Amino acid sequence: MSRKVATITLNPAYDLVGSCSALELGEVNHIQTTGLHAAGKGVNVARVLKNLGIDVTVGGFIGRDNQDGFQQLFSESGIANRFMVVPGRTRINVKLTEKSSEVTDLNFSGFNVPPQDWERFVTDSLSWLGQFDMITVSGSLPSGVSPDAFTEWMLRLRSLCSCIIFDSSREALIAGLKASPWLIKPNRRELEIWANRPLPTMSDIVNAAHELRAQGIAHVVISLGAEGALWVNNSGAWLAKPPICEVVSTVGAGDSMVAGLIYGLLMRESSEHTLRLATAVAALAVSQTSVGIGNRLELAAMMSRVNLIPFN
Ligand SMILES: Nc1ncnc2c1ncn2[C@@H]1O[C@H](COP(=O)(O)OP(=O)(O)OP(=O)(O)O)[C@@H](O)[C@H]1O
Ligand SMILES: O=P(O)(O)OC[C@@]1(O)O[C@H](CO)[C@@H](O)[C@@H]1O
């Protein structure tokens, strides 16, 4: 298998990241700014993959009026850019970390995708995505893109590429699951919404994962925040527990995990090794303001501190 990956982000964002001692609703809160990053789930995945030496192309939509930060990121980091520019502004999402490590996400709405731009995207993306070995589709749907239109596109995408990695939430998650992607990474809350029931124990989570596998999804990885992640596939089930980490920002931890999973799968590593790697990549993400792997030695050291437990 070659190592060409595309990540699609239909609704990217600039992440304005900051910290405060404790957030008070209805009050004036003073926030220490830690950064403003061109982001969105698939963009975060691409940044980490690029750090790991993978040839990555990004696509989706970005707003015409504030596209510079994205263009700069892609040209500086050598990420191939196939984003389609639409009228308006890419949204700004605010991410606040409290002293307790609690993160509050304020995800705003951004540009609207006019019907003709969606049609243009469908035709264009399906003309070039067939050349990739793995494609991730991540995040929410922008205004103007209906869940049904998204399902239809995902079904067509699946006929072009069998290795689709899908990470989304709410109505986009439900719509995308109808195309039975190859690998999904819901967090516990997203899985509970899909299952329409609480999943308090690991066994409950594994059972729900098997229900998804019965729908034709080969790999179900459930991220569990500081508790780690659980991977269920046809070879078994494993729980990976990260070491206790100092949390700077958990924003993009899930995307870092997706990038780690892709990297391990591309390298044809075992499920155990791949989950250990992905958990280490995600643990490194929480200790920094943005995503990315600065140092391979740090990654190797973190991998050795992940506790991997077969789960029967
Ligand atoms: N406090 C933490 N310490 C160590 N690892 C963490 C911590 N929080 C998250 N992680 C790692 O990051 C992974 C993804 O986190 P989480 O379950 O919060 O994903 P998510 O909800 O999809 O996040 P996001 O959408 O913000 O990227 C976890 O499976 C875990 O491996
Ligand atoms: O609103 P969506 O598309 O579901 O999520 C968007 C987002 O929260 O996801 C990334 C973290 O995973 C952030 O960079 C970004 O702001």
Side-chain angles (χ1 to χ4, degrees):
M1 187 182 278
S2 70
R3 296 172 188 179
K4 283 185 76 172
V5 177
T7 76
I8 301 295
T9 318
L10 298 177
N11 199 16
Y14 285 99
D15 284 350
L16 179 57
V17 186
S19 62
C20 61
S21 51
L23 203 56
E24 290 183 65
L25 282 183
E27 298 296 331
V28 175
N29 290 267
H30 292 277
I31 311 295
Q32 180 69 44
T33 308
T34 37
L36 175 67
H37 314 285
K41 294 197 190 309
V43 174
N44 296 338
V45 173
R47 285 178 69 164
V48 178
L49 283 174
K50 193 70 198 178
N51 288 163
L52 291 169
I54 300 295
D55 181 6
V56 63
T57 298
V58 287
F61 299 104
I62 47 173
R64 178 173 301 140
D65 299 348
N66 58 350
Q67 56 179 301
D68 292 1
F70 284 92
Q71 306 291 8
Q72 190 182 345
L73 168 69
F74 302 146
S75 62
E76 281 177 4
S77 53
I79 291 173
N81 176 13
R82 304 280 313 230
F83 267 97
M84 185 169 280
V85 176
V86 290
R89 296 174 72 78
T90 299
R91 64 195 169 141
I92 296 175
N93 289 342
V94 177
K95 315 286 179 177
L96 300 172
T97 305
E98 293 173 66
K99 218 174 181 164
S100 62
S101 301
E102 197 70 41
V103 177
T104 299
D105 288 57
L106 302 172
N107 285 10
F108 285 67
S109 58
F111 50 69
N112 173 72
V113 177
Q116 64 276 16
D117 281 341
W118 174 250
E119 286 313 319
R120 204 158 57 91
F121 169 79
V122 169
T123 310
D124 177 67
S125 61
L126 297 176
S127 75
W128 58 267
L129 279 168
Q131 62 180 292
F132 291 91
D133 303 289
M134 288 190 191
I135 301 169
T136 70
V137 179
S138 318
S140 55
L141 302 179
S143 148
V145 178
S146 73
D148 285 349
F150 178 61
T151 304
E152 203 180 304
W153 174 76
M154 283 283 281
L155 285 165
R156 292 177 68 184
L157 188 62
R158 234 209 105 165
S159 66
L160 287 180
C161 173
S162 53
C163 296
I164 296 180
I165 292 102
F166 178 54
D167 178 20
S168 190
S169 57
R170 302 190 300 170
E171 73 275 5
L173 173 64
I174 306 298
L177 288 180
K178 291 182 185 159
S180 298
W182 182 61
L183 184 152
I184 60 170
K185 192 224 63 69
N187 62 29
R188 185 189 223 136
R189 198 181 312 160
E190 287 154 1
L191 189 68
E192 287 178 333
I193 291 170
W194 171 83
N196 199 21
R197 60 180 192 270
L199 302 169
T201 68
M202 288 295 163
S203 297
D204 294 327
I205 294 173
V206 171
N207 289 340
H210 280 303
E211 287 167 38
L212 281 160
R213 289 195 55 244
Q215 291 187 13
I217 298 166
H219 300 280
V220 180
V221 181
I222 299 100
S223 63
L224 304 164
E227 287 177 75
L230 189 78
W231 185 352
V232 184
N233 64 22
N234 70 352
S235 315
W238 301 268
L239 177 66
K241 286 174 172 269
I244 292 170
C245 300
E246 196 199 324
V247 177
V248 174
S249 166
T250 57
V251 180
D255 308 325
S256 298
M257 166 151 286
V258 168
L261 291 168
I262 292 173
Y263 185 79
L265 287 160
L266 277 175
M267 298 299 160
R268 297 188 174 278
E269 301 286 3
S270 65
S271 302
E272 289 96 323
H273 182 95
T274 299
L275 185 58
R276 181 184 291 280
L277 171 83
T279 306
V281 175
L284 288 181
V286 307
S287 59
Q288 51 196 41
T289 61
S290 175
V291 298
I293 305 291
N295 182 331
R296 284 290 191 117
L297 290 176
E298 231 175 34
L299 177 59
M302 186 61 88
M303 280 180 75
S304 69
R305 296 174 65 207
V306 172
N307 186 11
L308 201 88
I309 307 156
F311 194 91
N312 299 306

